[in-house]
């Protein structure tokens, strides 16, 4: 198989994230990301590391989103917004590595904003914007089993604080607000999601997201409830609907969360368990050839080295 490598834009050929060339490159990504939400529907897959990000770009996806779960698993950690488990600094490092690795718009899965108070969320969002992201999402889950979601008034204040932080930055970063009603087991997740998403839209969210609905009826109803603002739908398993069928419901964006990372883990776990339990190497048949993957990364690394050398001469 011939491996073709997409041309790398100016953002990969520059010295740092704050110089004139990189600011222009990130601005172009942000403009392209906003345009993706204005018509049609697109899939935004979630890489868990630099390698998966570069390969997803190679396949032609128009944008990427980070995955807190996929990254946490790659670090041997559970998916958690608790700073004691996965701190803000570590998360920002991961997000920065993805924005630096590709030439696509990147949206950050930014959990609950790494702070309980609106001013803490604002500070975290300000830092996230400096990574070069084209978008970021803020959840309304607290991480507290006794009270798993912020009261609506508090949640709205947090979204508003994120909005103001983005506006103060002067960068055109899309703000996605997530209602976690389905994920936390709310007794009436659909109605509560509608109530919350509409409030978040009024507070300044650009994109609305309620992970959980899987049926055409609920998905379409959510689209209509937040219109004209775009809705993101999360698909982490086969729900019997294709991309075209989801698009026909009015959805603008489809993400897959940690599903691609889980697909990788599924293959690894199956192979490792079979090798340990059966002593058989049959499970290693039909692998993607080492040479193919190695050639892909050798080519991308070579281009990156040339870019870094050129950037160094400009310093």
């Amino acid at each position: 198989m011939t491996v073709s490598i997409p041309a790398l834009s100016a953002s990969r050929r520059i010295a740092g994230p704050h110089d004139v060339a990189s600011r222009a490159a990130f601005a172009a990504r942000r403009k392209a990301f906003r345009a993706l939400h204005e018509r049609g529907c697109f899939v935004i897959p979630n890489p868990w590391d630099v390698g998966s990000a570069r390969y997803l770009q190679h396949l032609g996806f128009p944008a990427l989103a980070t995955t807190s779960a996929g990254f946490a698993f790659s670090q041997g950690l559970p998916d958690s917004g608790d700073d004691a488990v996965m701190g803000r600094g570590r998360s920002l490092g991961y997000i920065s590595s993805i924005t630096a690795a590709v030439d696509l718009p990147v949206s950050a899965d930014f959990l609950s904003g790494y702070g309980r108070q609106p001013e803490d969320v604002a500070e975290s969002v300000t830092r996230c914007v400096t990574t070069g992201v084209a978008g970021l999402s803020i959840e309304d889950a607290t991480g507290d089993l006794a009270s798993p979601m912020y009261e609506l008034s508090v949640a709205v204040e947090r979204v508003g604080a994120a909005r103001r932080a983005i506006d103060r930055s002067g960068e055109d970063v899309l703000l996605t607000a997530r209602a976690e009603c389905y994920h936390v087991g709310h007794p009436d997740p659909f109605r509560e999601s509608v109530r919350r998403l509409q409030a978040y839209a009024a507070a300044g969210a650009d994109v609305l997201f309620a992970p959980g609905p899987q049926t055409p009826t609920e998905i379409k109803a959510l689209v209509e409830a937040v219109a004209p603002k775009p809705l993101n739908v999360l698909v982490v398993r086969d729900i019997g609907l294709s991309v075209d069928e989801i698009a026909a419901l009015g959805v603008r964006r489809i993400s897959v969360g940690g599903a691609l990372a889980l697909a990788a883990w599924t293959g690894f776990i199956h192979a490792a368990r079979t090798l340990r339990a059966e002593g058989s190497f049959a499970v290693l048949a039909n692998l993607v050839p080492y040479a193919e993957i190695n050639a892909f990364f050798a080519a991308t690394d070579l281009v990156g080295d040339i870019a870094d050398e050129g950037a160094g001469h400009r310093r």
Side-chain angles (χ1 to χ4, degrees):
M1 174 179 173
T2 301
V3 178
S4 65
I5 307 300
L8 298 180
S9 72
S11 63
R12 291 277 296 282
R13 298 194 297 270
I14 42 128
H18 302 296
D19 62 26
V20 174
S22 63
R23 286 199 298 271
F26 287 137
R29 295 189 202 181
R30 289 162 177 159
K31 182 178 180 180
F33 194 52
R34 183 172 291 278
L36 284 170
H37 293 78
E38 292 174 353
R39 62 187 61 83
C41 178
F42 69 102
V43 176
I44 182 168
N46 306 71
W48 61 94
D49 62 8
V50 166
S52 57
R54 289 183 177 172
Y55 200 79
L56 289 169
Q57 171 171 293
H58 165 66
L59 292 178
F61 287 100
L64 304 176
T66 63
T67 161
S68 62
F71 176 61
F73 299 160
S74 76
Q75 303 298 297
L77 296 169
D79 185 21
S80 173
D82 187 343
D83 262 5
V85 179
M86 179 67 75
R88 180 177 68 181
R90 200 170 191 175
S91 177
L92 288 171
Y94 157 57
I95 294 166
S96 295
S97 74
I98 302 301
T99 62
V102 298
D103 300 310
L104 298 176
V106 174
S107 187
D109 172 4
F110 209 46
L111 297 175
S112 295
Y114 295 93
R116 297 189 67 85
Q117 300 304 317
E119 56 268 27
D120 298 327
V121 173
E123 181 188 356
S124 294
V125 167
T126 298
R127 295 192 182 201
C128 190
V129 169
T130 66
T131 66
V133 293
L136 61 90
S137 61
I138 298 293
E139 303 172 6
D140 56 10
T142 64
D144 181 357
L145 293 178
S147 182
M149 299 182 72
Y150 286 101
E151 292 292 332
L152 181 57
S153 60
V154 176
V156 167
E157 288 180 14
R158 287 161 50 82
V159 171
R163 173 77 273 157
R164 290 188 293 276
I166 291 172
D167 292 344
R168 284 194 298 269
S169 76
E171 305 296 347
D172 186 22
V173 173
L174 263 67
L175 174 61
T176 297
R178 289 179 45 151
E180 300 295 301
C181 310
Y182 286 85
H183 276 183
V184 303
H186 190 280
D188 193 354
F190 176 77
R191 289 182 182 275
E192 184 63 13
S193 293
V194 168
R195 185 171 81 108
R196 285 176 175 261
L197 293 184
Q198 290 177 338
Y200 301 159
D206 299 296
V207 182
L208 290 311
F209 185 6
Q214 308 283 281
T215 67
T217 300
E218 285 196 338
I219 292 172
K220 185 173 179 59
L222 279 178
V223 167
E224 293 171 349
V226 303
K229 293 195 174 183
L231 180 76
N232 183 103
V233 165
L234 176 69
V235 180
V236 294
R237 60 181 179 83
D238 183 3
I239 61 172
L241 296 172
S242 67
V243 171
D244 287 346
E245 288 169 333
I246 294 173
L249 300 174
V251 172
R252 285 276 183 265
R253 190 173 88 189
I254 304 170
S255 57
V256 296
L260 291 178
L262 289 177
W265 274 99
T266 298
F268 163 72
I269 289 171
H270 174 63
R273 284 177 174 173
T274 300
L275 182 60
R276 179 69 181 93
E278 302 176 13
S280 169
F281 298 100
V283 72
L284 302 182
N286 302 314
L287 298 179
V288 175
Y290 161 87
E292 179 181 323
I293 297 177
N294 194 60
F296 173 76
F297 287 121
T300 57
D301 186 57
L302 176 61
V303 174
D305 286 345
I306 294 171
D308 290 341
E309 183 180 351
H313 287 310
R314 285 193 297 275
R315 288 194 182 94

